[in-house]
Amino acid sequence: MTANRGGPARVGGPANRGGHATPARPADLARCSLNQATVKHARLEQAVAVAAAAGYAAIGLWRDRVRQTGARAAARIVAAAGLRVSTLCRGGFLTASDPVAARAALDDNRRAIEEAATVGAAELVLVVGGLPALSRPGQGPRPQATAADRDLAATRRRLADRIADLVPTALDHGVRLVLEPMHPLFTADRGVIATTAQALDLAAPFPPTAVGVVIDTYHVWWDPELERSIGRAGREGRLAAYQLGDWILPLAADPLHSRGHVGDGYIDFPAITGWMAAAGYAGDVETEIFNQAVWAEEAAVTAAIVADRYRRQVLPYLD
Amino acid sequence: MTANRGGPARVGGPANRGGHATPARPADLARCSLNQATVKHARLEQAVAVAAAAGYAAIGLWRDRVRQTGARAAARIVAAAGLRVSTLCRGGFLTASDPVAARAALDDNRRAIEEAATVGAAELVLVVGGLPALSRPGQGPRPQATAADRDLAATRRRLADRIADLVPTALDHGVRLVLEPMHPLFTADRGVIATTAQALDLAAPFPPTAVGVVIDTYHVWWDPELERSIGRAGREGRLAAYQLGDWILPLAADPLHSRGHVGDGYIDFPAITGWMAAAGYAGDVETEIFNQAVWAEEAAVTAAIVADRYRRQVLPYLD
């Protein structure tokens, strides 16, 4: 098996990954990461401070927040707090059919790879994009949309080409491109990768050090093939990240904001976590929640709830 | 291959199926069916009259509407208008874990099979149900929900047992149970069958005359395996129905009501229709739209729009 940051080769534990001095933290949160989007209204320094105070081991960063301080300063802030960066979110939106837009997307993703390397994120999550000629996210089809604009198969083929374009840059920087299968709710406007098996097929031509997949419970929990696909991802050395969010109903007006705290919805976290463990995943476990009610809460309160749910619904099934 | 009402054996044409006297109709609508839910506010007689006047060959009936006249009267009304019944919608909600609820669901589905036979519907569509102990459709989890209530794999196994319970009754009545893969948007609360491949796996133990699958564009358009699964369904003699509805954004407040007219959204109808044709499907093509704006329109206007979209987006790719 090729060198593999996310799969069985990481069994030695994520603490081996970074070079930071890591102060003593609660042992039970040694793989627990707070995705920055979960405390959306906190600035980078505050999110890092909250995560460190709550005993987390890592934080998942977002590019727009990293830009507020600059990537180098962000790396220093995270390291000073003794945290790892579990992922950088996000690159992607790579499905444009227009050549100018496609080139702009590649440029932006190459910058994202550089930023990931600078902040110390080995994993760059990609939200790959929808049917680009038809709409912007959340909006309806453009009136002038043609039959070709609805060609989902062709859009997926273009995506494969754009991933190939990015792989050399990713390898140069030691950053893995992490394909995100998204809930089919988002196939039209955000992500044409709908299943983990499809993500693995797209990754297959490239080394596991260059292209991996993220298992985000919110996006993949419904998949009848999920256990099998997670096992395959482990065997192929592609398990790059594990993200948590629950499926709650009714959907929010913007369905993107329907992610609930672990345990508040329908998802069987013990089962999925057990599949991840059986597949050899030994990386960080990031909770990522987009939800207006969660965002209205104090960041420290949210961090405490996330840690509590992690301890009860995830940790016992992780080894 | 076993006798097969929906697959290649039907290549002779749907006009051979029923015993009704069929008056001359526009040849190009010879496989066009109006699902009654598309003209929700019309009573049965009115929906039948509108479909017949617009030149449709068939109508898809709903049990609640059939009950307004009784199944025998419904059969007479449809036959007198020279239409076929393409499907009866719907049985299902078979996933209860509570034995009393499971028995009640079986009783109801046996009645649905009898009603289908009486109205002359060879295909009974099943919306199989979600995670039953957790919620009613569209509502959030019950506070007392347990870990076992979230066991999606166990729920799917229970469903397989309930299908087995119903097969003898279906065979006795010459009615096919038609499993509906539903968009993963509905896995939690309406239908734990999320892909066509999963539906085919559930159908596999039973004869194709007893259990088939419906391809509903709204539910399956995003599936990376769709072309392959449709081909498999054709080879296995399971293609029981083809239903149309477009994926439009933004989602309606009740996402169940987000189905748009063919061509108003993101779905590539020519591609999917071509796959159905290549798989040997020669049955009716039903348009089924749940949408407040469509329901607010005159039934005759809706029927005309549906026929127009069918002629432009579907018919050229159907043979």
Side-chain angles (χ1 to χ4, degrees):
Chain A
M1 184 176 286
T2 319
N4 171 20
R5 282 188 299 270
R10 202 192 265 178
V11 168
N16 299 333
R17 182 163 31 147
H20 308 316
T22 307
R25 297 207 178 279
D28 61 354
L29 297 186
R31 295 171 61 186
C32 188
S33 178
L34 182 68
N35 186 286
Q36 191 173 11
T38 307
V39 292
K40 176 180 172 143
H41 299 307
R43 287 182 57 90
L44 179 70
E45 299 86 336
Q46 190 193 353
V48 166
V50 160
Y56 286 73
I59 188 165
L61 298 180
W62 276 68
R63 291 180 73 199
D64 55 339
R65 297 313 167 102
V66 166
R67 262 186 232 122
Q68 293 177 341
T69 60
R72 259 164 238 210
R76 279 194 301 271
I77 292 166
V78 174
L83 297 179
R84 290 186 299 275
V85 179
S86 45
T87 63
L88 179 66
C89 300
R90 59 190 192 192
F93 292 96
L94 285 162
T95 50
S97 50
D98 167 58
V100 175
R103 196 155 47 240
L106 283 175
D107 289 346
D108 182 61
N109 278 276
R110 291 196 178 103
R111 281 192 298 275
I113 292 166
E114 291 163 11
E115 288 165 27
T118 305
V119 299
E123 318 286 354
L124 173 65
V125 175
L126 302 187
V127 169
V128 299
L131 291 167
L134 280 181
S135 73
R136 300 295 301 167
Q139 295 171 9
R142 294 182 178 145
Q144 72 274 28
T146 68
D149 294 332
R150 295 182 171 83
D151 191 336
L152 184 55
T155 303
R156 287 166 166 163
R157 286 191 297 271
R158 276 201 306 278
L159 170 63
D161 293 341
R162 294 297 81 76
I163 295 168
D165 291 339
L166 290 173
V167 160
T169 312
L171 286 169
D172 281 353
H173 287 80
V175 169
R176 178 149 63 173
L177 306 172
V178 180
L179 304 180
E180 177 148 34
M182 296 194 81
H183 195 286
L185 183 49
F186 303 111
T187 302
D189 60 342
R190 288 188 188 273
V192 295
I193 302 179
T195 64
T196 305
Q198 184 197 358
L200 290 169
D201 290 345
L202 280 162
F206 312 105
T209 48
V211 185
V213 301
V214 50
I215 301 298
D216 181 320
T217 56
Y218 182 84
H219 289 304
V220 302
W221 73 279
W222 55 269
D223 183 356
E225 297 297 318
L226 184 58
E227 181 177 8
R228 190 177 322 195
S229 292
I230 288 174
R232 175 184 161 197
R235 285 191 304 279
E236 297 179 358
R238 308 269 182 194
L239 282 175
Y242 183 30
Q243 293 182 324
L244 310 179
D246 211 340
W247 178 266
I248 55 174
L249 291 176
L251 289 182
D254 181 347
L256 196 66
H257 297 171
S258 273
R259 297 171 69 105
H261 273 300
V262 166
D264 283 357
Y266 293 84
I267 297 178
D268 188 345
F269 289 95
I272 298 175
T273 301
W275 300 337
M276 291 293 287
Y281 181 70
D284 292 320
V285 182
E286 241 182 50
T287 296
E288 182 184 47
I289 300 177
F290 311 140
N291 182 308
Q292 297 290 353
V294 172
W295 289 335
E297 191 52 86
E298 289 283 336
V301 171
T302 296
I305 294 171
V306 165
D308 172 63
R309 302 298 175 89
Y310 173 84
R311 285 181 165 113
R312 292 195 286 139
Q313 299 260 348
V314 176
L315 183 64
Y317 312 97
L318 205 50
D319 284 314
Chain B
M1 183 176 286
T2 320
N4 171 19
R5 282 189 299 271
R10 201 191 265 181
V11 169
N16 298 333
R17 180 163 34 145
H20 309 317
T22 308
R25 298 206 178 279
D28 61 354
L29 297 185
R31 295 170 62 187
C32 189
S33 178
L34 183 69
N35 186 287
Q36 190 173 12
T38 307
V39 292
K40 176 181 171 142
H41 299 307
R43 287 182 57 89
L44 179 70
E45 299 87 333
Q46 190 193 354
V48 166
V50 161
Y56 287 72
I59 188 164
L61 298 180
W62 277 67
R63 289 180 73 200
D64 56 338
R65 297 314 166 100
V66 166
R67 260 186 232 122
Q68 292 176 341
T69 60
R72 259 165 235 205
R76 280 195 299 272
I77 292 165
V78 174
L83 297 179
R84 289 186 300 274
V85 180
S86 44
T87 62
L88 179 65
C89 301
R90 63 189 188 192
F93 292 96
L94 284 162
T95 51
S97 49
D98 166 59
V100 175
R103 195 154 48 238
L106 283 176
D107 289 346
D108 183 60
N109 277 276
R110 292 196 177 103
R111 281 192 298 275
I113 291 167
E114 291 163 10
E115 288 165 27
T118 305
V119 299
E123 317 287 354
L124 173 66
V125 175
L126 303 187
V127 169
V128 299
L131 292 167
L134 279 181
S135 73
R136 300 294 304 169
Q139 297 171 8
R142 294 181 178 148
Q144 72 273 28
T146 68
D149 293 333
R150 294 182 172 83
D151 190 337
L152 184 55
T155 304
R156 286 166 166 163
R157 286 192 296 269
R158 277 201 305 278
L159 171 62
D161 292 341
R162 295 296 82 74
I163 295 168
D165 292 338
L166 289 173
V167 160
T169 312
L171 286 170
D172 280 352
H173 287 81
V175 169
R176 179 148 63 173
L177 305 172
V178 181
L179 304 180
E180 177 148 36
M182 296 193 80
H183 196 286
L185 183 49
F186 302 111
T187 302
D189 61 341
R190 288 186 188 275
V192 294
I193 302 180
T195 65
T196 305
Q198 184 197 358
L200 290 170
D201 290 345
L202 281 163
F206 312 106
T209 47
V211 184
V213 301
V214 50
I215 301 298
D216 180 320
T217 56
Y218 182 83
H219 290 304
V220 302
W221 73 278
W222 55 270
D223 182 357
E225 296 297 318
L226 185 59
E227 180 177 7
R228 191 178 321 196
S229 292
I230 288 175
R232 174 184 162 197
R235 285 192 304 280
E236 297 179 356
R238 308 270 183 195
L239 283 175
Y242 183 31
Q243 294 182 323
L244 310 178
D246 211 341
W247 178 266
I248 55 174
L249 291 176
L251 290 182
D254 180 347
L256 195 66
H257 297 170
S258 273
R259 298 171 68 105
H261 273 299
V262 166
D264 283 356
Y266 294 84
I267 297 179
D268 188 344
F269 290 95
I272 298 175
T273 301
W275 300 337
M276 291 293 286
Y281 182 70
D284 293 320
V285 182
E286 243 182 48
T287 297
E288 182 185 47
I289 301 177
F290 311 139
N291 182 306
Q292 297 289 353
V294 172
W295 288 334
E297 190 53 86
E298 288 282 336
V301 171
T302 296
I305 295 170
V306 166
D308 173 63
R309 303 296 177 89
Y310 173 84
R311 285 182 166 112
R312 292 195 287 140
Q313 299 259 349
V314 177
L315 183 63
Y317 312 96
L318 204 51
D319 284 314

